[in-house]
Amino acid sequence: QVLLVQSGAEVKKPGASARVSCRASGYTFTHYTIHWVRQAPGQGFEWMGWINTLNGRAKYEQKFQDRVSISADTPATTAHMDLSDLRSEDTAVYYCARLVLDGSGSYFDSWGQGCLVTVSS
Amino acid sequence: SSELTQDPGLSVALGRTVRITCQGDSLRGSFASWYQVKAGQAPLLVFHGQGNRPSGIPDRFSGSSAGNAAYLTITGVRAEDEGDYYCACQEPNDNIHFVFGSGTRLTV
């Protein structure tokens, strides 16, 4: 079955960078885009961006444009999300999700288990 | 980016029917998808598009849309339906960006 397994929780200091990884299995990696979504404590979901796993091109939400980089290691069927210049408000659970595009629109049918990134001095 | 608005909280008795609303201009040109979120768990897709329920999701979950709104209806609510529900859709003006609703906490 489709599985997205994310890397473990991290604690970072303000100004540092964090990398969250997402290893996919159970399907052809390059047939679906991978998206990143975060949820801060007590808050809703915030879409961050996505990567086309076939050609490696990424698109970002404008809010994160200057600090986020999403990449994909196709042989390893793994996507990475790098967030730099971390601030306390970046403390959140970061999720990767697989996007399906079909006749019923676009939707996230599989999600990683989430990775808590805590930013604290 | 645009916004999708949801009622912050709804309360429903066991066995009754509840409708969760998602409103936003993006829904005029894009189908909504719905996610159930429980504490400590990854989001679960429960409905998408015009009438699509993923395999394994009970048929008490259904969806619809009209104009700038989308609806998730749970008929015959069960205790395990308690949790947070979020809508989401792709921005129709660029088909690149996505937006999530503000979320609804359902109390049973």
Side-chain angles (χ1 to χ4, degrees):
Chain A
Q1 82 277 27
V2 176
L3 268 180
L4 300 177
V5 178
Q6 298 184 229
S7 48
E10 299 201 39
V11 179
K12 296 290 184 179
K13 294 194 182 302
S17 297
R19 164 169 278 202
V20 182
S21 300
C22 172
R23 181 168 50 86
S25 62
Y27 71 98
T28 302
F29 183 65
T30 54
H31 285 186
Y32 298 86
T33 57
I34 293 288
H35 293 241
W36 290 89
V37 179
R38 76 178 187 181
Q39 185 177 32
Q43 303 296 313
F45 285 99
E46 195 169 25
W47 179 81
M48 299 180 69
W50 61 276
I51 186 159
N52 183 323
T53 51
L54 185 62
N55 60 26
R57 293 178 186 162
K59 298 288 185 183
Y60 308 115
E61 175 60 63
Q62 187 169 8
K63 171 181 178 178
F64 301 103
Q65 184 81 32
D66 295 336
R67 298 196 295 133
V68 71
S69 177
I70 300 174
S71 58
D73 180 345
T74 301
T77 66
T78 299
H80 305 285
M81 189 281 298
D82 295 293
L83 189 61
S84 62
D85 190 21
L86 290 167
R87 308 147 189 180
S88 58
E89 52 265 38
D90 293 319
T91 294
V93 177
Y94 289 78
Y95 293 97
C96 60
R98 185 180 85 157
L99 182 78
V100 175
L101 273 171
D102 61 22
S104 68
S106 51
Y107 52 94
F108 303 108
D109 74 329
S110 295
W111 294 69
Q113 81 276 22
C115 173
L116 174 62
V117 175
T118 303
V119 183
S120 173
S121 55
Chain B
S1 61
S2 59
E3 295 180 349
L4 296 178
T5 303
Q6 299 180 235
D7 291 328
L10 290 172
S11 184
V12 61
L14 279 170
R16 303 304 292 262
T17 296
V18 65
R19 189 173 79 168
I20 302 170
T21 301
C22 173
Q23 274 193 299
D25 287 340
S26 298
L27 293 172
R28 294 189 183 278
S30 187
F31 291 126
S33 52
W34 290 92
Y35 305 88
Q36 178 193 68
V37 184
K38 297 186 179 181
Q41 297 182 21
L44 174 68
L45 175 71
V46 295
F47 205 86
H48 62 92
Q50 293 279 57
N52 304 95
R53 191 183 316 107
S55 173
I57 301 301
D59 60 7
R60 62 179 181 273
F61 288 87
S62 62
S64 60
S65 64
N68 72 337
Y71 309 96
L72 178 71
T73 301
I74 310 174
T75 305
V77 169
R78 302 180 64 157
E80 59 261 37
D81 299 332
E82 185 164 279
D84 297 329
Y85 290 83
Y86 290 86
C87 60
C89 76
Q90 191 168 22
E91 295 277 16
N93 57 348
D94 64 8
N95 285 325
I96 292 174
H97 296 82
F98 281 79
V99 59
F100 280 83
S102 47
T104 296
R105 174 149 295 180
L106 181 66
T107 302
V108 179

